[in-house]
Amino acid sequence: MDTRSAPAGSALFDLTGRTALVTGSSQGIGRALAQGLAEAGATVVVHGRDRAKAERAAAEITESTGGEAHVALFDVTDASAVDAGIADVEAHLGTPDILVNNAGIQRRAPIAEFSDEDWHDLVATNLTSAFLLSRRVARGMIARGSGRIVSIGSVQSQLARPSIAPYSATKGAIVMLTKGLCADLAPHGISVNALAPGYFATELTQPLVDDPDFSAWVAQRTPAGRWGRVEDLVGALVFLSSDASAFVNGQTVFVDGGMTAVV
């Protein structure tokens, strides 16, 4: 029997001393997630492909939290680039305690007109990247005997809309990748879960937010009656990254204002 005492109360959510890598975190949801992990005490690695944006985000996080933020620049869709990028992170900080697979893109078109290029881009960025990062970081997590992996799904992991069938396919696959990784990694002390946001107001969705008809639909379709704010995701991520979720594994947590709970 394990007789070690577990943290209690707010200490369960304390990430002090842990390192978190958040892919695609120089802007949008990823930027807010990196900020939230830093505020919970983690040393964060801001990832992107635009050095200036990533360095600016890391500097802002350091200034606002007083914590430590680093930058990683590599292509999440390329296996050799992922290997080299994680090797560099490990050389400076060790294997991340927390991996957040956040990088993602959207492409819209009627299915009969959907291009091969857009399909392959969606699969590579939204799904293959989560596989490549999880596989690479899991090696160090297995050796250490602990770790947290959180992948970002979507309400489209469960619900479909016209013109985004390929996107929905990638986000549905994130749910099953999460379960499969749990089966492989839970015996090594590693938790693997997913967060599935609803409709969130970000730089990338601003055109939809500004569309009165679409915003009215979001408000009507969401029981909470509004768009999500990026900070609405932070608490759930900190929970899944911390000791508070020690026995939560293979799950997808929908943070959607109730959208997937109603018809």
Side-chain angles (χ1 to χ4, degrees):
M1 177 183 297
D2 188 346
T3 59
R4 292 173 299 177
S5 59
S10 61
L12 282 168
F13 300 90
D14 185 5
L15 301 179
T16 300
R18 302 185 193 185
T19 302
L21 166 62
V22 184
T23 64
S25 51
S26 61
Q27 65 178 0
I29 286 175
R31 169 68 178 79
L33 297 180
Q35 177 82 30
L37 292 172
E39 290 174 353
T43 294
V44 298
V45 180
V46 176
H47 164 269
R49 286 195 284 181
D50 184 318
R51 178 176 293 277
K53 288 174 66 174
E55 289 181 344
R56 181 166 60 250
E60 291 169 354
I61 289 170
T62 296
E63 181 178 0
S64 63
T65 66
E68 191 176 343
H70 301 262
V71 168
L73 304 169
F74 57 86
D75 182 354
V76 295
T77 70
D78 181 88
S80 60
V82 168
D83 284 346
I86 298 302
D88 185 62
V89 171
E90 289 177 332
H92 293 89
L93 300 169
T95 297
D97 300 284
I98 303 156
L99 167 66
V100 182
N101 291 310
N102 167 76
I105 59 172
Q106 174 66 288
R107 298 283 187 271
R108 294 180 173 87
I111 194 63
E113 302 168 15
F114 216 95
S115 71
D116 290 353
E117 181 181 6
D118 282 345
W119 164 263
H120 291 303
D121 284 348
L122 280 166
V123 172
T125 305
N126 296 357
L127 180 59
T128 300
S129 68
F131 162 72
L132 294 175
L133 267 295
S134 298
R135 179 181 65 177
R136 179 61 179 80
V137 172
R139 294 168 185 160
M141 289 181 172
I142 289 169
R144 187 178 56 216
S146 67
R148 296 284 193 272
I149 297 174
V150 182
S151 297
I152 305 302
S154 166
V155 288
Q156 269 78 47
S157 295
Q158 182 171 315
L159 304 175
R161 278 183 58 79
S163 81
I164 58 168
Y167 176 85
S168 299
T170 64
K171 292 303 185 178
I174 285 291
V175 172
M176 290 311 301
L177 178 63
T178 295
K179 293 182 178 182
L181 290 172
C182 167
D184 278 338
L185 298 177
H188 300 282
I190 302 164
S191 295
V192 188
N193 294 288
L195 277 181
Y199 283 84
F200 274 69
T202 69
E203 299 100 316
L204 297 179
T205 61
Q206 194 59 48
L208 296 176
V209 176
D210 293 338
D211 182 328
D213 291 337
F214 195 85
S215 277
W217 175 83
V218 169
Q220 186 276 329
R221 181 65 182 80
T222 306
R226 65 172 175 84
W227 285 81
R229 297 182 284 265
V230 289
E231 56 267 26
D232 291 327
L233 285 167
V234 170
L237 177 62
V238 171
F239 167 68
L240 292 177
S241 302
S242 71
D243 292 335
S245 62
F247 206 53
V248 179
N249 217 330
Q251 304 304 306
T252 298
V253 178
F254 285 85
V255 185
D256 62 2
M259 177 175 278
T260 53
V262 301
V263 295

